[in-house]
Amino acid sequence: MKMLYILIMTIPMLFFGSIQGYAQPKECPVLSELEKTSIKDKKEVMKVLNTLIPKTYGKLNEFPDIYTM
């Protein structure tokens, strides 16, 4: 019985264990194309990030306190 349980648990890992997903882009951005900012731009940067992050990753209703500033 234990052997059957072990087989049931390990066989799906062989097929589904190698699936990869990426939350980050595979390549780094080109630094010369990035906008230069300073602490004076904090409000504007935060406003843009609060718009872009939900568009990119969806709303984070499950973890509201983790991603706050």
Side-chain angles (χ1 to χ4, degrees):
M1 188 66 164
K2 288 184 181 181
M3 186 64 139
L4 178 62
Y5 179 73
I6 291 171
L7 286 174
I8 290 172
M9 294 301 291
T10 56
I11 289 175
M13 287 183 203
L14 295 174
F15 295 107
F16 301 113
S18 63
I19 297 174
Q20 295 179 352
Y22 296 97
Q24 302 291 330
K26 291 183 181 181
E27 297 178 12
C28 293
V30 179
L31 291 178
S32 62
E33 294 177 2
L34 296 177
E35 186 77 26
K36 294 190 187 274
T37 62
S38 70
I39 194 70
K40 295 175 188 176
D41 303 320
K42 182 179 177 180
K43 285 184 182 180
E44 185 179 352
V45 170
M46 293 301 296
K47 183 178 177 182
V48 171
L49 286 176
N50 287 330
T51 302
L52 290 177
I53 290 173
K55 284 183 181 179
T56 305
Y57 298 106
K59 293 187 178 183
L60 301 173
N61 293 334
E62 301 141 14
F63 309 107
D65 296 333
I66 294 175
Y67 301 103
T68 59
M69 294 223 166

